[in-house]
Amino acid sequence: PAPIARHVSLRELFTGFLLIGLMGFGGTQASANYVIVERKKWLTPREFVELFGVCSILPGGNFLNATVMLGDRYQGPLGSIVGLTALLLAPLAILLGLAYGYQ
């Protein structure tokens, strides 16, 4: 059966990828599966595996590629930008806080 088309807002993309960034600091695939498939139901398990199959042959980080593809799928280029920003925001803030504290 064909997958059901679902509208995902920019806000949902931002909060979903922010959560993945917080949960997956150091490794995101397990966290991404939990958020994208089980919690938000943006993709089916089969679609998730297919997405990562495609992303694994593309240059760059697998989940960064998946973020761009999912953001584009639901909100176009702006969705890709919002997804990447949200994904990288929490780890960057944590690292900057640690660096500031170390300094």
Side-chain angles (χ1 to χ4, degrees), residues 20-45:
I20 292 168
L22 283 170
M23 291 172 48
F25 191 71
T28 57
Q29 189 159 356
S31 302
N33 185 35
Y34 170 72
V35 172
I36 293 171
V37 175
E38 296 176 22
R39 190 168 179 182
K40 302 281 186 177
K41 301 193 185 317
W42 292 344
L43 298 174
T44 65

Side-chain angles (χ1 to χ4, degrees), residues 49-96:
V49 170
E50 289 173 353
L51 176 72
F52 270 87
V54 170
C55 292
S56 67
I57 62 171
L58 295 173
N62 290 349
F63 196 65
L64 292 176
N65 293 334
T67 301
V68 170
M69 291 174 73
L70 277 176
D72 185 60
R73 177 180 181 173
Y74 291 115
Q75 288 290 329
L78 183 59
S80 296
I81 293 168
V82 167
L84 280 175
T85 301
L87 181 69
L88 299 175
L89 185 66
L92 180 62
I94 292 168
L95 287 174
L96 288 175

